[in-house]
Amino acid sequence: MTHPTYHNLIGGQWLPAAGGETILNLNPADHSDVIGEFPASTAEDVDRAVAAAKKAFATWRLVPAPKRAEILVRAGNILVQNKEKYAREMTHEMGKVLAETRGDVQEAIDEAFYIAGEGRRLFGITTPSELPDKFAMSVRMPVGVVGLITPWNFPMAIPSWKLFPALVAGNTCVIKPAEDTPLSTYNLVQALVEAGLPPGVVNIVSGLGPQAGAPLVEHPGVRAVSFTGSSEVGSLVAQRAAATFKQVSLEMGGKNAQIVLDDANLDLALDGALWGAFGTTGQRCTATSRILLQKGIAAEFTERFVARAGKLKVGNGLDESVEVGPQINRQQIETSTRYVDIAKREGAQMLLGGIRLTEGPYANGTFFAPTVFAGVSSQMRIAREEVFGPVVALLEFSDFDEAVSIANSIDYGLSTSLYTRNVNRAFAAMRDLEAGITYINAPTIGAEVHLPFGGVKRTGNGHREGLGALDFFTTWKAVYVDYSDKLQRAQIDNAE
């Protein structure tokens, strides 16, 4: 059976990789199903793409920001028209269920319309000068050519978080999508092309991290890099970018805690825990991988949680009745399996799952059973390290202060959640939990595009997606206009 062949987008042309090598994009629910063949790019392809982006920058930066924004509006409308098609293609290549992939495309739509509005709000400031007859202001300027490296778990939403603010700010882009999910990024960029984006403003270089991602990070023509992925790879990105003084935005791992107090609405907390732990098959940086239970409700919550998790339907995400799709590839299955073994060795009690599903409809895919561990201490690796799979650890605590201490005891700080009816505890949690995001009576997943997204500690380096993205994709310029018609010297002529 034949399958489509895709090319890199460089300078408005669709080109194969310079070396001629390709990567097969496989359906994680059925590895015999080849979605398409994509370029396995190298440094030569990156060079071409950066050169195209640099050439396009000369004219794109001069397009008024509101006009740049109009292209995003048109692209958003194209995404609306193709939402169901793009969602199905995303489930086909990534595996998560259709309800989630529709949400992924919707997030790109929301981002397009939100950031388009920023085309008329690229505000600087005016301020009084310390000298007479002198005007002072600051303006935002584009950075230049930016490199974008995106993950496979949100293969349209996260590229939109990076591409759209970069574009409205006047930058040109080279994006390297995850090798497991390039098609969704191609669909997103195709919407921009159809919307009238000039050639070379966005370029796609598909391929593996070491062969395509590393040359993009290290390229002297790239002025900033925005990366979403693991903390281990993010550390390498930061180190390599530092050699050429690039600005770097890192959004990395998480080990997110949902805290359930004795006074919580348990039905609501259970709903949130199931969605947070097993949505996207646990393959979210915001996934609920730790559930902290106050001792008064721990036994009831655990029993009900395990019973409901055991009834979740696992299968091909294109089946509307399926609730948990496959893991993305064999490597992720191996990681989930390894952490199950680690948890058992450290003394955690496995209450559910813990195995790869291989029989019948699961035979050709990468499926892992929803997995629950109880009797977990805060020092166990299963409670401290990111699994990125459908594996959740249940921990118990005595009081609120202990819960906060356990939640904060790890190296990550992305998302946190507290279920309580006590408003005092809610506000204390908002203040004291060490994370970029805190939810009250809601799960740890579910970011909205107009709020800042990112974390602290090993999760990020201080930059944010959403609100704050324009701060990364612009640089400040101070402008002075002296209309006194004489030499005036700041800090000297105003000293008295």
Side-chain angles (χ1 to χ4, degrees):
M1 183 176 180
T2 59
H3 50 260
T5 299
Y6 297 86
H7 298 310
N8 289 329
L9 179 62
I10 298 178
Q13 294 183 295
W14 297 98
L15 303 172
E21 298 295 319
T22 59
I23 299 170
L24 293 181
N25 184 12
L26 304 178
N27 177 359
D30 180 0
H31 284 202
S32 66
D33 179 14
V34 179
I35 293 154
E37 197 167 349
F38 289 80
S41 303
T42 62
E44 185 176 351
D45 302 291
V46 172
D47 282 341
R48 292 176 179 176
V50 172
K54 185 175 182 180
K55 180 180 178 182
F57 179 67
T59 51
W60 179 245
R61 69 182 184 87
L62 300 178
V63 175
K67 294 299 182 183
R68 298 194 292 253
E70 289 175 7
I71 294 175
L72 297 187
V73 172
R74 293 196 293 270
N77 287 324
I78 292 167
L79 293 174
V80 170
Q81 295 163 14
N82 291 280
K83 180 178 176 179
E84 185 65 18
K85 174 179 181 289
Y86 291 165
R88 288 185 172 276
E89 289 182 351
M90 189 186 303
T91 294
H92 196 195
E93 74 166 347
M94 188 271 162
K96 61 185 177 183
V97 300
L98 278 170
E100 291 192 54
T101 54
R102 289 173 185 137
D104 199 307
V105 180
Q106 185 61 48
E107 196 156 342
I109 293 166
D110 295 343
E111 180 75 9
F113 295 146
Y114 163 59
I115 289 295
E118 297 303 293
R120 294 183 183 272
R121 288 190 293 265
L122 285 173
F123 300 136
I125 60 168
T126 60
T127 185
S129 171
E130 65 191 38
L131 294 168
D133 299 325
K134 187 177 180 182
F135 179 77
M137 65 179 174
S138 62
V139 294
R140 290 181 182 268
M141 303 293 289
V143 174
V145 177
V146 297
L148 313 175
I149 300 175
T150 57
W152 46 261
N153 58 342
F154 287 86
M156 185 173 285
I158 292 178
S160 77
W161 292 0
K162 300 179 188 300
L163 279 170
F164 293 171
L167 293 173
V168 84
N171 303 286
T172 55
C173 308
V174 179
I175 184 167
K176 191 207 85 66
E179 58 267 24
D180 288 295
T181 56
L183 180 57
S184 293
T185 299
Y186 275 62
N187 286 338
L188 179 68
V189 173
Q190 185 61 45
L192 286 166
V193 172
E194 291 178 20
L197 193 73
V201 174
V202 172
N203 305 272
I204 306 175
V205 176
S206 161
L208 301 175
Q211 286 75 41
L216 182 60
V217 170
E218 296 169 355
H219 200 288
V222 173
R223 296 312 316 140
V225 173
S226 181
F227 167 86
T228 299
S230 71
S231 298
E232 291 72 24
V233 176
S235 176
L236 294 174
V237 168
Q239 292 174 55
R240 293 184 179 188
T244 46
F245 305 103
K246 291 179 176 64
Q247 185 88 332
V248 179
S249 173
L250 302 174
E251 199 285 292
M252 301 176 289
K255 191 69 180 175
N256 311 291
Q258 174 179 312
I259 300 169
V260 185
L261 298 185
D262 284 347
D263 68 341
N265 178 335
L266 279 196
D267 292 332
L268 181 65
L270 281 161
D271 288 342
L274 286 160
W275 172 231
F278 303 117
T280 324
T281 321
Q283 300 172 125
R284 289 181 181 234
C285 52
T286 56
T288 306
S289 51
R290 297 181 294 160
I291 302 176
L292 280 53
L293 303 171
Q294 196 160 12
K295 290 182 179 178
I297 52 87
E300 180 185 353
F301 185 98
T302 299
E303 181 180 0
R304 293 175 63 186
F305 180 73
V306 171
R308 288 184 61 181
K311 294 177 182 177
L312 292 171
K313 183 175 180 180
V314 180
N316 189 324
L318 289 170
D319 178 347
E320 297 271 12
S321 68
V322 164
E323 297 165 288
V324 180
Q327 291 208 257
I328 187 67
N329 55 34
R330 290 186 176 89
Q331 180 181 343
Q332 292 302 129
I333 290 285
E334 290 167 2
T335 298
S336 295
T337 302
R338 186 172 77 254
Y339 274 99
V340 166
D341 293 340
I342 290 169
K344 288 178 179 177
R345 287 199 304 271
E346 292 188 339
Q349 180 186 3
M350 191 173 75
L351 303 182
L352 183 71
I355 58 171
R356 178 179 179 181
L357 302 176
T358 59
E359 301 296 323
Y362 307 125
N364 292 326
T366 43
F367 295 91
F368 202 85
T371 300
V372 182
F373 281 98
V376 177
S377 76
S378 61
Q379 297 307 310
M380 291 181 180
R381 291 178 63 186
I382 196 70
R384 308 188 66 81
E385 299 175 13
E386 186 174 42
V387 180
F388 225 65
V391 180
V392 64
L394 308 184
L395 298 84
E396 296 185 17
F397 63 89
S398 297
D399 57 30
F400 175 76
D401 289 340
E402 183 185 5
V404 171
S405 177
I406 293 170
N408 290 343
S409 67
I410 59 167
D411 293 333
Y412 299 104
L414 181 52
S415 184
T416 49
S417 166
L418 174 71
Y419 281 80
T420 183
R421 292 185 174 97
N422 186 320
V423 68
N424 295 346
R425 294 291 186 230
F427 274 85
M430 287 186 271
R431 178 193 64 194
D432 295 338
L433 289 170
E434 296 172 355
I437 305 166
T438 295
Y439 295 88
I440 305 299
N441 294 325
T444 61
I445 64 180
E448 299 183 33
V449 299
H450 55 292
L451 275 78
F453 183 90
V456 299
K457 299 191 278 193
R458 280 177 60 88
T459 291
N461 65 339
H463 296 289
R464 291 292 184 268
E465 314 272 14
L467 181 64
L470 290 175
D471 292 329
F472 178 75
F473 289 114
T474 58
T475 184
W476 286 107
K477 175 181 280 190
V479 179
Y480 302 94
V481 180
D482 191 321
Y483 54 96
S484 68
D485 209 27
K486 63 183 179 181
L487 174 64
Q488 298 192 94
R489 299 165 296 177
Q491 290 89 43
I492 295 176
D493 291 340
N494 70 339
E496 295 300 328

